[in-house]
Amino acid sequence: MGSYHQFCPVAKAMELLDERWTMLVVRELVSGSQRFNDLRRGLPRMSPTLLSRRLHELARAGVIERRADRYILTPAGEELRTVVEALGAWGIRWIGELGDRDLDPKLLLWDMRRNIDHDAVPAGRSVVAFDFADVPAPLRHWWLVLTRNEADVCDADPGYPVSVSVHTTLRRMTDVWLGNLTWAQAQRAGTFEVLGPATLRRAVPHWFTLSTFAAVPRVTSGGGGI
């Protein structure tokens, strides 16, 4: 096995990256998460112990380095950005629609948080409340707290006045986030209601940039749904 790996770079790379959760950890790092707690929030189904182990393995392989309380991609790690982007585009194009069990409000809001156009957010603090009608009660309500510099996801009422409320289903919000529907199209189609002052209702779609993969062409025939 050792001699085979010596002459097969793909096998050597896969030995590192094919470990369970490793590519998802890399994806979080590529997406901008650097602190352990932020990585945990982006990978809520991964145990802290396993996350620590994978970070240690990536550091030992020279993919990341630890600086104080941050994990920073090395030049070798930065090169994996294209790999992550290619895998994501492939998944959008060929795997097809997400199943209901793949939908997760925490992951959706965390991804939306990473893609805020802070220049478009009003000065001061803005709070967007989400009510997902198709999600069990404990996970139904979420809040995004936005400023010109920061964004945070809350699964409990942060106690600030709500600027805009979005009442929809998790499926419909995911469709909007992935670029399958615009905010306006979702509202016209029903099960997507935006409440708040008219100026903010019109402005809130512009506070978010779409998912990185929203522009990826979908396969409509002859494939998909692997």
Side-chain angles (χ1 to χ4, degrees):
M1 179 65 73
S3 60
Y4 176 69
H5 283 189
Q6 182 178 353
F7 294 104
C8 183
V10 172
K12 290 182 70 175
M14 290 304 295
E15 186 176 36
L16 169 68
L17 300 176
D18 199 34
E19 291 285 350
R20 185 168 181 259
W21 290 99
T22 296
M23 280 304 298
L24 292 176
V25 174
V26 172
R27 189 250 183 193
E28 279 300 304
L29 292 161
V30 164
S31 298
S33 296
Q34 294 183 340
R35 291 187 172 90
F36 189 84
N37 284 340
D38 287 341
L39 289 163
R40 283 196 64 193
R41 292 179 76 181
L43 298 162
R45 300 176 189 176
M46 186 180 189
S47 74
T49 301
L50 184 56
L51 175 57
S52 294
R53 188 184 310 157
R54 293 291 180 260
L55 289 169
H56 176 73
E57 292 165 354
L58 289 170
R60 189 173 57 190
V63 174
I64 61 174
E65 60 182 40
R66 180 147 184 198
R67 300 178 190 170
D69 64 341
R70 295 174 184 266
Y71 296 90
I72 308 298
L73 288 167
T74 64
E78 281 291 347
E79 281 198 20
L80 289 173
R81 185 180 301 274
T82 56
V83 177
V84 171
E85 291 171 351
L87 283 172
W90 183 87
I92 290 290
R93 185 178 292 114
W94 292 105
I95 291 182
E97 186 176 271
L98 293 169
D100 287 342
R101 68 179 181 178
D102 298 316
L103 301 177
D104 188 314
K106 181 180 294 186
L107 293 177
L108 173 64
L109 270 294
W110 188 248
D111 218 24
M112 292 176 69
R113 165 203 170 272
R114 278 195 286 240
N115 292 269
I116 303 297
D117 182 353
H118 289 279
D119 291 336
V121 175
R125 181 188 296 113
S126 299
V127 178
V128 184
F130 294 85
D131 180 359
F132 298 121
D134 56 342
V135 173
L139 296 174
R140 178 171 177 168
H141 299 285
W142 294 82
W143 293 261
L144 275 174
V145 181
L146 311 176
T147 69
R148 287 282 176 86
N149 300 308
E150 296 180 328
D152 196 19
V153 178
C154 301
D155 59 1
D157 190 340
Y160 304 123
V162 171
S163 309
V164 176
S165 297
V166 179
H167 298 259
T168 184
T169 63
L170 181 57
R171 167 70 64 184
R172 186 56 58 92
M173 191 71 242
T174 302
D175 281 339
V176 170
W177 177 238
L178 291 176
N180 299 329
L181 293 170
T182 66
W183 285 65
Q185 288 170 337
Q187 290 178 79
R188 288 195 296 269
T191 66
F192 194 99
E193 185 177 20
V194 182
L195 303 177
T199 54
L200 294 180
R201 293 201 312 270
R202 290 191 295 268
V204 69
H206 304 290
W207 298 353
F208 301 92
T209 59
L210 292 178
S211 163
T212 306
F213 305 109
V216 175
R218 274 59 165 177
V219 172
T220 55
S221 62
I226 292 174

